Amino acid sequence: MTVRTTKRSAGLLLFRHTGRGPEVLLGHMGGPFFAKKDAGAWTVPKGEYDAGEPAWEAARREFQEELGLPPPDGEAVPLGEVVQSNGKIVTAWAVEADLDPEAISPGTFALEWPPRSGRIQEFPELDRVAWLAPDRARALIIPAQTAFLDRLAEHSG
C-alpha cells in the first residue's frame, strides 16, 4: 500500500503601485513543458516544502531559491490557500515591494530531456519574471492562483 501525501507549496506575491495602477510580480515556469506556453504558465514565485517547515518560512526560502534574491521585508498580507488542478495546495502572502526583474538569478532543476534520451539537462525554475497589471496577470497565471489576485484586490481595495 502506498501512502499518497498532498504536495504543498508556499510563495510570495509581490505587488507595487505605479502611475499606471497596481502591478504584481509573476514568474514564467521554466523548462521544456512551458517554453511555448504563456496562458497558465505564470505563477507566484513559490516552491514545495515538508510538513515540518512553517509555510511562511518556506515562502521566504523559496523566493530566494526561485529568484536568487532575498525576500523583501514588509508587511505580509496572508492570501490563504488554493488547490491547483494537480492537487497541490499553495499558500501565499502578498508583500509590497519593488524589484528589477533583470536582477533575478533563478534556481535550476534537472530533467531528462528529451524524454527517454538518457540526457539530463538543467533548466531554470522560472525563465523570466515580469510586473503585470492585474488583468494581464489574470490571463496568464495558473487558473487556481487567480484567487490570490482577487484576495489581494480585496485587501488593497
Side-chain angles (χ1 to χ4, degrees):
M1 181 173 123
T2 54
V3 176
R4 186 175 162 95
T5 58
T6 301
K7 290 186 177 181
R8 300 181 79 78
S9 282
L12 300 179
L13 176 62
L14 298 193
F15 68 99
R16 67 183 184 181
H17 299 283
T18 71
R20 297 177 306 278
E23 294 179 333
V24 295
L25 185 78
L26 297 181
H28 183 270
M29 292 182 281
F33 301 116
F34 300 101
K36 292 180 172 40
K37 189 173 181 190
D38 226 17
W42 290 75
T43 182
V44 170
K46 63 174 178 45
E48 292 183 9
Y49 66 99
D50 295 323
E53 183 179 14
W56 169 246
E57 290 177 19
R60 292 181 57 81
R61 175 182 51 76
E62 287 294 336
F63 185 92
Q64 175 91 38
E65 289 179 15
E66 297 269 316
L67 301 182
L69 300 170
D73 293 323
E75 178 191 356
V77 178
L79 299 177
E81 295 181 342
V82 299
V83 180
Q84 297 183 166
S85 61
N86 61 3
K88 182 184 288 184
I89 298 170
V90 180
T91 306
W93 287 264
V95 178
E96 186 169 1
D98 199 356
L99 69 77
D100 178 0
E102 298 298 316
I104 71 158
S105 176
T108 61
F109 67 96
L111 176 71
E112 181 182 10
W113 193 258
R116 296 178 293 288
S117 67
R119 261 182 66 209
I120 303 297
Q121 295 189 50
E122 291 280 322
F123 296 96
E125 296 272 356
L126 298 174
D127 57 22
R128 62 191 184 274
V129 298
W131 287 103
L132 303 167
D135 287 348
R136 183 72 179 137
R138 183 174 302 285
L140 297 176
I141 199 167
I142 293 170
Q145 292 183 24
T146 59
F148 294 143
L149 302 176
D150 295 340
R151 295 169 192 164
L152 176 59
E154 288 170 14
H155 169 79
S156 302

